Amino acid sequence: MLKGKNKLGLIPINTLLFFVVLCLGTEVFATDKYSNLESKTQQLLKELRRVGIPSSSVGVSVTIIPSTIYPFEPVRYGFNSKKKFNPASTVKLFTSFYALSVLGSSYRFKTDFFIVGKRDLDSFDGDFYLKGRGDPKLVYEDLQEIVYAMRAKGYRKLRGNFIIDDSYFSEPEINAASFDGKKNKPYNVGPNAALVNFKAVELTVAKVKRKINISLKPQLADFTVVNNMRWVRGSCGKNKIFYKEFDGKLKVYGRFGTRCKRQRLYLSLSTHKRFAFGLFKQAWIDSGGQFDQVLIDGVVPKEAELVYSWTSPRSLELLIKDINTLSNNTMARTMFLTLSAGKGSPGTLEKSRRLLSSWFYDLGIGLGDVTIENGSGLSRLTKLTPTHIDTLLYEATFSKEFQVWKKSLALAGKEGTTVNRFRGMDVSGNAWLKTGSLDNVQAYAGYVLTETKRWISFAILVNHRVAERAKLPLDKFIDSLYRDAGPQLLVEGSKQVK
């Protein structure tokens, strides 16, 4: 290994700039139309056509990353690589890598608590403020720790008003039903500067002492569950569970199999502020405290006293792992707004889009070429090309945070959204991937460490009404990238990208 190589074993980008310029002046053409990368892509296209997906609905960009300083010739291959597609959740790569580049892997979010009022021994009467600062993973266990810390300061009775200040972002709460009509699905939860527990709970329907029991975890204060479930003979396969939220109540109805022990569902409930208020109140009561405050709107005034500041136990490294490996939409959307938030300047979608547009220019991506709506995969407006995504992945290999970045992606066949894929394939455990899946969209992007220890970055986008059928062909294509023991033939120049 040459001295001065980066985390991939490559020469740092500043050392290579001269050779990049030298090689860009010469077009490198593949003389054999059945070159390795082209033949693998043609095989993919053939398999996709068999399941009803035409080649015009597919875009591919692949780069074999060079490991020698001269000649510096990254192997590039593209098919429809400059055509715009809906990238689904692979767009999270832009949100998460920009955050990693700007904030750093050790960055931790804070949430502050203020008071304005009168304290008398263990009682407080006045305005109590929760000031959110964009933490995308402030969970109920954190709230419990916060309550314990407040109780340790001598607070037991809270009277007056409870105010959740989410002004760190300046965006209205989204209509959770606008994307697909499923407002209670956790993946549809929108961003909020004071997001708590993803605004979601676990609903359990269980057989307890011959009765149907319904519970929420965590519990929400002032929220009532109405149980209208009935028995039906049979196992869990007979279950039909429906729910309807209204006026601080959740009506659960349907049928439950007599031989079924339990079934769990995950639901988004209420508004961001009411949800956070309900969880905080429940945690306070569970701690043995007395809570007699009401939720009102407002922001922290200048004269407010800071009584507690919570620092997240999770670094940005762990947060982007959740965003990319688990493909958490709510975290990605919250992180996207955080990118443009600062002192006295709240985060907005438009400001975050402008920041990324400027960054794209630095990456060599044209300012007008990219459309990103909200930083997550839940969009029908976001448009990217395979080359855009592959360019980001390639440039990321020269980052000092590359190892953190790579590990934020799902290890193929082992983690997250890939855990049930690549079964029996050699690439399992040898690729780091971001998946994307929507109705009519399938996508893959990431890195492969091949059997000859070469690094490959790639992006594959499929937009078609039967895109769901593309999953196995895409898995097989990525497996073929791993198997490179045969000779590798070079690339295309610009004229070869179709």
Side-chain angles (χ1 to χ4, degrees):
M1 182 178 293
L2 294 174
K3 184 177 179 181
K5 292 183 178 180
N6 72 3
K7 298 299 183 179
L8 277 182
L10 308 179
I11 305 301
I13 191 65
N14 57 349
T15 309
L16 296 172
L17 289 178
F18 170 76
F19 299 103
V20 173
V21 174
L22 178 65
C23 294
L24 287 177
T26 305
E27 291 185 333
V28 183
F29 293 95
T31 57
D32 187 344
K33 66 178 180 179
Y34 299 108
S35 67
N36 200 294
L37 292 176
E38 183 175 8
S39 65
K40 290 177 179 181
T41 302
Q42 290 303 319
Q43 181 61 31
L44 168 65
L45 297 175
K46 181 179 179 181
E47 293 193 20
L48 290 174
R49 287 194 295 270
R50 285 175 180 167
V51 297
I53 300 174
S55 299
S56 59
S57 297
V58 184
V60 178
S61 180
V62 182
T63 300
I64 299 178
I65 301 169
S67 58
T68 58
I69 190 170
Y70 184 80
F72 182 75
E73 294 173 345
V75 179
R76 304 183 188 277
Y77 177 79
F79 179 85
N80 287 337
S81 62
K82 296 183 180 179
K83 181 177 180 178
K84 291 184 179 181
F85 294 85
N86 186 323
S89 283
T90 58
V91 72
K92 293 185 177 82
L93 294 170
F94 289 84
T95 303
S96 57
F97 187 67
Y98 185 85
L100 181 63
S101 300
V102 173
L103 300 176
S105 59
S106 62
Y107 181 83
R108 294 174 189 265
F109 286 87
K110 290 187 176 182
T111 303
D112 293 329
F113 296 83
F114 298 84
I115 59 171
V116 175
K118 182 180 179 181
R119 179 174 178 178
D120 183 14
L121 298 176
D122 65 351
S123 298
F124 171 77
D125 193 344
D127 295 337
F128 186 95
Y129 296 86
L130 185 163
K131 171 69 175 179
R133 300 191 186 277
D135 188 343
K137 195 177 182 180
L138 180 67
V139 295
Y140 183 63
E141 291 76 12
D142 297 336
L143 276 191
Q144 290 177 312
E145 293 291 331
I146 290 166
V147 167
Y148 294 152
M150 293 292 296
R151 292 297 311 280
K153 289 177 174 286
Y155 292 92
R156 187 175 70 86
K157 300 177 183 178
L158 295 182
R159 300 188 184 95
N161 301 314
F162 192 94
I163 301 100
I164 296 175
D165 182 350
D166 59 359
S167 61
Y168 196 65
F169 298 161
S170 182
E171 289 288 338
E173 190 155 345
I174 70 167
N175 176 4
S178 62
F179 185 72
D180 59 8
K182 300 175 180 178
K183 72 170 188 175
N184 292 110
K185 290 294 186 181
Y187 61 76
N188 275 326
V189 173
N192 189 271
L195 175 72
V196 176
N197 211 65
F198 312 117
K199 201 172 79 70
V201 298
E202 179 186 78
L203 170 72
T204 300
V205 182
K207 181 179 181 180
V208 180
K209 297 181 179 179
R210 299 184 180 182
K211 293 183 178 181
I212 301 175
N213 178 267
I214 299 177
S215 62
L216 297 181
K217 181 181 180 182
Q219 293 183 14
L220 278 169
D222 305 328
F223 199 86
T224 304
V225 176
V226 179
N227 185 350
N228 284 351
M229 292 295 297
R230 60 183 178 83
W231 292 111
V232 63
R233 290 183 180 275
S235 62
C236 295
K238 293 289 186 178
N239 292 353
K240 294 290 183 181
I241 302 173
F242 305 96
Y243 45 85
K244 183 177 182 180
E245 182 187 358
F246 60 97
D247 300 330
K249 296 179 181 179
L250 182 68
K251 178 182 176 181
V252 184
Y253 59 100
R255 65 191 191 193
F256 193 73
T258 54
R259 297 198 303 274
C260 186
K261 290 185 177 181
R262 69 181 60 84
Q263 182 172 334
R264 295 186 174 94
L265 305 170
Y266 293 91
L267 306 178
S268 164
L269 297 175
S270 194
T271 65
H272 278 287
K273 288 186 177 181
R274 289 189 179 278
F275 187 89
F277 173 75
L279 280 192
F280 188 92
K281 180 176 180 178
Q282 188 67 52
W284 193 271
I285 293 171
D286 289 346
S287 75
Q290 182 178 324
F291 193 97
D292 296 315
Q293 292 196 315
V294 295
L295 178 66
I296 66 170
D297 288 330
V299 297
V300 178
K302 292 181 179 180
E303 69 271 17
E305 175 189 355
L306 177 66
V307 291
Y308 186 71
S309 184
W310 167 261
T311 300
S312 173
R314 302 164 201 91
S315 65
L316 188 71
E317 176 179 355
L318 296 178
L319 297 178
I320 66 168
K321 177 68 175 175
D322 282 355
I323 289 173
N324 289 332
T325 291
L326 302 179
S327 205
N328 190 301
N329 288 305
T330 304
M331 291 180 69
R333 296 178 77 155
T334 301
M335 188 74 74
F336 188 71
L337 288 174
T338 297
L339 301 180
S340 60
K343 291 183 179 180
S345 179
T348 69
L349 289 172
E350 186 57 37
K351 284 164 58 179
S352 292
R353 290 169 189 151
R354 289 201 301 266
L355 280 174
L356 262 67
S357 291
S358 177
W359 182 55
F360 293 152
Y361 181 80
D362 293 338
L363 290 176
I365 298 173
L367 290 175
D369 291 345
V370 177
T371 303
I372 293 181
E373 183 181 10
N374 56 40
S376 82
L378 290 185
S379 171
R380 296 294 180 186
L381 301 178
T382 297
K383 299 294 181 183
L384 295 170
T385 71
T387 295
H388 291 151
I389 302 172
D390 194 20
T391 297
L392 169 71
L393 291 164
Y394 175 72
E395 292 295 333
T397 64
F398 300 103
S399 166
K400 64 181 182 180
E401 298 275 21
F402 176 73
Q403 290 301 324
V404 170
W405 166 245
K406 181 196 72 176
K407 291 176 182 177
S408 78
L409 308 181
L411 187 61
K414 308 293 184 181
E415 293 182 311
T417 55
T418 72
V419 73
N420 293 317
R421 300 176 71 165
F422 302 102
R423 291 181 175 176
M425 298 185 186
D426 294 336
V427 74
S428 180
N430 291 295
W432 292 262
L433 308 172
K434 181 72 201 78
T435 62
S437 183
L438 286 174
D439 288 343
N440 307 327
V441 181
Q442 285 294 312
Y444 258 140
Y447 304 96
V448 177
L449 180 58
T450 72
E451 60 185 349
T452 62
K453 305 306 177 186
R454 302 186 191 203
W455 283 95
I456 292 177
S457 63
F458 71 92
I460 315 168
L461 305 178
V462 179
N463 286 188
H464 193 267
R465 60 181 178 81
V466 294
E468 181 74 13
R469 300 176 187 173
K471 285 185 176 180
L472 182 57
L474 294 184
D475 289 359
K476 292 167 68 175
F477 175 74
I478 295 170
D479 187 56
S480 75
L481 293 180
Y482 169 77
R483 293 180 284 102
D484 70 340
Q488 294 290 305
L489 299 177
L490 294 186
V491 208
E492 100 268 5
S494 59
K495 292 182 180 179
Q496 287 180 284
V497 179
K498 299 180 181 179

